[in-house]
Amino acid sequence: MTGEFEYRLRRIGRRLVWPRPWLYLPVGILRRGMGWYVFDSKHSVYISGYPRSGNTFAVNAFHMANPGIPLRSHKHIPTFVVVSTRRGTPGMVVIRHPLDASVSWAIYKGKPLHLALQYYEDYYSVLLPYRDRLFIVRFEDVVADFGQVLRAFNARWGTSYNLFVNSPDNIAACMTQIEDESRQPDGSIPESRVARPSQGRSASKQALIAEAGNSPRVREALRRAQGVYDVFSALAHRNDKTPGDTSATRTTSG
């Protein structure tokens, strides 16, 4: 009960602080150090989104095609997007179906699914006032052909970044890099945490998906998260430069 109460207080705090960069500033530095200075402007582009939404693949693919470009990523706090949006910095916000992303994050963090879903809702709710100024990308489009995503990105922002070539060799290289980033000192890869599909998470995923159908608390959290997902997923259609429409497709890989 104490843990649940503490988490409720933390959620109230982030709803207060996340939309307000000057309030978040000392919090981010105290918790994470100067690397979390929210007003840092050294990056030329950002890639952001709720964790386990394809961020890592998108970042690695972008860097493979555009080495050396200063890029901000993996903060997973919407305040960074708010600041970049107000400045007009080019960037993309990745969105994945809330159940898929939250199940993967709950496994990664070892936390209850309803808390992961609440984090999802809170993250994207902060960005709702800025939604018409964002470049929204679906997880399905990131993994299907990131080169086409970058083509649409350039068209949206008037940039000219090199396109990622969606070849088997390049995809394999991205996956190898993701594994190397997760590799432990003994050479092992933690299957519960690595940011790529893993059969080692299958049993845990199925258990959490079953919980989503059986727990009223999880169902309510999913309903609320689904609401913000629907808003942003509809906006992603405006960015569609890719062949075909994958908006009806959902995957539980990753």
Side-chain angles (χ1 to χ4, degrees):
M1 182 62 69
T2 301
E4 188 74 21
F5 178 72
E6 289 177 355
Y7 191 82
R8 288 178 183 177
L9 288 180
R10 288 180 59 194
R11 192 177 190 200
I12 291 170
R14 72 190 186 205
R15 286 178 164 183
L16 173 68
V17 170
W18 280 359
R20 300 169 178 86
W22 282 107
L23 284 180
Y24 177 78
L25 174 64
V27 175
I29 292 175
L30 285 172
R31 291 190 64 196
R32 306 291 185 97
M34 284 305 298
W36 286 68
Y37 176 63
V38 71
F39 293 106
D40 174 48
S41 59
K42 296 176 182 176
H43 58 290
S44 302
V45 63
Y46 70 88
I47 296 176
S48 190
Y50 180 86
R52 318 303 282 189
S53 297
N55 296 279
T56 301
F57 181 86
V59 168
N60 288 344
F62 182 92
H63 275 149
M64 181 178 290
N66 299 275
I69 298 295
L71 185 152
R72 172 178 271 177
S73 67
H74 287 91
K75 298 303 184 185
H76 302 311
I77 301 292
T79 318
F80 291 90
V81 179
V82 170
V83 171
S84 292
T85 301
R86 290 177 179 177
R87 286 178 172 160
T89 303
M92 65 178 72
V93 174
V94 185
I95 189 159
R96 186 182 184 185
H97 189 278
L99 182 58
D100 298 338
S102 297
V103 161
S104 188
W105 187 236
I107 294 170
Y108 181 95
K109 296 293 287 184
K111 289 189 175 181
L113 179 56
H114 75 280
L115 298 185
L117 285 162
Q118 288 172 358
Y119 172 22
Y120 185 105
E121 178 197 352
D122 292 347
Y123 181 95
Y124 289 107
S125 291
V126 171
L127 300 181
L128 281 172
Y130 303 91
R131 58 190 180 274
D132 290 328
R133 297 161 62 184
L134 300 173
F135 181 80
I136 311 298
V137 183
R138 291 183 300 261
F139 169 85
E140 292 85 356
D141 295 329
V142 168
V143 299
D145 191 339
F146 192 69
Q148 292 295 336
V149 169
L150 284 180
R151 188 185 304 278
F153 182 92
N154 284 337
R156 166 65 175 80
W157 293 110
T159 51
S160 55
Y161 291 114
N162 297 327
L163 305 185
F164 176 75
V165 178
N166 195 54
S167 68
D169 286 346
N170 282 346
I171 293 171
C174 279
M175 291 300 179
T176 297
Q177 186 171 347
I178 289 171
E179 290 185 342
D180 288 343
E181 291 166 357
S182 298
R183 200 175 299 278
Q184 301 298 294
D186 64 1
S188 65
I189 297 173
E191 293 297 327
S192 65
R193 300 173 69 87
V194 63
R196 54 113 171 97
S198 172
Q199 288 299 316
R201 295 193 288 264
S202 295
S204 298
K205 283 184 179 181
Q206 292 308 312
L208 288 173
I209 290 171
E211 181 185 356
N214 297 326
S215 167
R217 178 167 60 177
V218 174
R219 284 201 303 270
E220 174 60 16
L222 177 58
R223 183 189 68 79
R224 296 179 65 87
Q226 182 73 43
V228 292
Y229 171 80
D230 289 343
V231 172
F232 283 99
S233 182
L235 289 173
H237 285 278
R238 300 183 185 180
N239 305 323
D240 259 340
K241 305 293 183 181
T242 56
D245 181 8
T246 60
S247 60
T249 303
R250 184 165 68 85
T251 176
T252 55
S253 63

